[in-house]
Amino acid sequence: MLSYRLLVAGAGMLATALAAYDSSCSTNVVTYWGQNSWGGGHLDQPDKWEKPLAAYCEDSTFDVINISFLTNFNLTGLPVLNHAFHCETVYNGTNTLHCPDIGEDIKTCQANGKKIVLSLGGGNIFTYGLGSSADGQKFADIIWNMFLGGSHQYRPYDDAVLDGVDLDIESGEHSGYVAFINQLRTYFQGASKQYIVSAAPQCVFPDSNLGTTLSGGWIDNNYVQFYNNPCNLANIDNQWNFDYTSWDKLTKANPNPNSKMYVGLPAGSGAAGNGYLDLTTVQADLAKLYSGYPSTFGGIMLWDASWYSNNQDYVKNLSSWVKSNMKCGSSSPTTSVPTTTSSTSDSAPAYTTIATLPTSSPPVTPTGY
């Protein structure tokens, strides 16, 4: 593990050559690391399981990596993390992981221009929640001190300072998250680095667990999961299922005037129950959405890093296409769309340029869910 990190750290000297997260751009690509979802279905192939965090920071494929997950808030004690097989050592007398290797990888990734964010929540068996403003404020203090710019006896990643928090809230009490965000932002205001607050709602509008948080809390990036639901991207032309316009309006109404929305997608055919599309189709769909909603389009989110390892051509081609076709700032989009059929793992297809649309153009997708 140590020798691997040293090799990657050496590559980090070339950080200026790698793409870096820019909140004003529509070219950002985000992924989640730490759950090894590919490995869950391939227990007999450990050599192909999710790689160490630093392995995903060696090139320009990803700009933000969310470490998943903090699964138990445990407001009466110390929070509990789950990083699959990546870290299983706890501080003595606690259930809180101590992961110095991940801490070193975080610093390596940051040296390469990546933003590394702690994701809270997750699905499946995890139990968590913030049932009041007081709970939210208390938990923000804990997160700041254990994972961000504060200090604490138990810091899971030692002196590594993460770049923010992500809310993948799929259960539990949720009335305290706005207070949680507000309390964190009191710390951010005096900080020397830019912190990210993001959320990952289901595409069903409004999200039953994050609805009030998304409308009342300061959100930088909104990673809408357009998979595992009837509103997945495959139904982009079905007005009864796919509703991008409502998400766009919600993003524009956020207290953060620069809030961005990302299209969340599976990174492999088995990464989600539905929503995985061949490269040609997903590029064409993203071109439509970007042309119709350029002011809020921040990029894409891919679940998860373990599928990148086992579907690398697809993910690299998609990331490269996003970075080549989307823009930064307020410039109007000129987006290339595929003109040839491509399999899910083939190299990038040929493109043709569609007409440039002004930022005031009407949405290209129908309203309604």
Side-chain angles (χ1 to χ4, degrees):
M1 185 72 176
L2 178 60
S3 61
Y4 177 83
R5 287 202 312 275
L6 289 175
L7 287 172
V8 177
M13 297 178 182
L14 301 176
T16 54
L18 301 182
Y21 168 76
D22 187 333
S23 61
S24 70
C25 292
S26 300
T27 58
N28 297 302
V29 179
V30 181
T31 194
Y32 284 77
W33 174 91
Q35 291 301 293
N36 187 37
S37 69
W38 187 92
H42 302 82
L43 297 176
D44 60 337
Q45 301 180 59
D47 58 314
K48 295 183 178 180
W49 288 357
E50 193 170 61
K51 303 297 188 286
L53 174 63
Y56 301 96
C57 301
E58 296 177 303
D59 60 23
S60 61
T61 302
F62 301 118
D63 305 293
V64 179
I65 300 178
N66 293 332
I67 296 182
S68 55
F69 288 111
L70 192 156
T71 58
N72 186 338
F73 297 174
N74 193 21
L75 295 175
T76 60
L78 296 172
V80 177
L81 296 158
N82 180 303
H83 295 328
F85 70 97
H86 293 293
C87 178
E88 298 176 306
T89 302
V90 298
Y91 281 104
N92 289 337
T94 79
N95 291 317
T96 296
L97 291 177
H98 183 209
C99 311
D101 287 347
I102 295 178
E104 290 301 313
D105 280 3
I106 290 169
K107 291 185 284 186
T108 295
C109 290
Q110 291 170 330
N112 280 351
K114 314 300 182 182
K115 293 290 187 180
I116 309 299
V117 172
L118 178 65
S119 187
L120 315 178
N124 300 321
I125 63 173
F126 305 140
T127 301
Y128 48 81
L130 296 175
S132 68
S133 294
D135 284 348
Q137 293 169 352
K138 178 180 180 180
F139 191 52
D141 294 338
I142 294 171
I143 294 298
W144 174 257
N145 288 321
M146 291 184 67
F147 299 96
L148 304 177
S151 60
H152 198 279
Q153 178 183 359
Y154 301 109
R155 285 185 65 92
Y157 314 122
D158 291 339
D159 61 347
V161 178
L162 290 167
D163 295 300
V165 295
D166 171 69
L167 302 175
D168 185 10
I169 306 304
E170 301 185 28
S171 64
E173 296 290 331
H174 48 263
S175 60
Y177 288 104
V178 172
F180 168 76
I181 294 170
N182 290 341
Q183 181 72 356
L184 277 181
R185 282 176 45 75
T186 65
Y187 291 116
F188 295 171
Q189 289 171 5
S192 60
K193 66 187 297 182
Q194 176 195 25
Y195 286 99
I196 296 171
V197 177
S198 60
Q202 304 291 310
C203 58
V204 179
F205 188 89
D207 184 274
S208 59
N209 294 295
L210 280 168
T212 56
T213 304
L214 298 177
S215 61
W218 182 282
I219 301 294
D220 296 301
N221 298 334
N222 193 4
Y223 309 131
V224 183
Q225 300 180 46
F226 286 102
Y227 52 88
N228 280 341
N229 285 288
C231 46
N232 70 81
L233 193 61
N235 288 321
I236 188 171
D237 295 319
N238 185 330
Q239 64 175 328
W240 306 113
N241 286 331
F242 192 82
D243 180 8
Y244 197 92
T245 301
S246 293
W247 286 109
D248 175 71
K249 290 179 179 178
L250 182 67
T251 303
K252 289 175 178 174
N254 190 266
N256 179 358
N258 298 311
S259 184
K260 294 290 186 179
M261 178 178 166
Y262 289 61
V263 179
L265 300 166
S269 59
N274 59 41
Y276 181 69
L277 302 172
D278 66 82
L279 195 59
T280 301
T281 301
V282 74
Q283 289 169 338
D285 289 348
L286 290 173
K288 291 179 185 178
L289 295 175
Y290 177 55
S291 295
Y293 306 87
S295 66
T296 58
F297 194 100
I300 63 173
M301 177 274 283
L302 296 171
W303 175 267
D304 68 348
S306 68
W307 281 90
Y308 167 72
S309 299
N310 294 281
N311 197 24
Q312 193 168 107
D313 286 347
Y314 177 92
V315 174
K316 277 195 170 186
N317 283 327
L318 180 55
S319 173
S320 177
W321 181 86
V322 168
K323 294 177 184 301
S324 297
N325 285 274
M326 310 317 182
K327 306 295 181 183
C328 292
S330 58
S331 57
S332 300
T334 302
T335 308
S336 298
V337 297
T339 58
T340 61
T341 301
S342 170
S343 71
T344 56
S345 59
D346 286 345
S347 58
Y351 304 106
T352 184
T353 302
I354 61 175
T356 299
L357 299 178
T359 56
S360 59
S361 295
V364 297
T365 53
T367 60
Y369 174 79

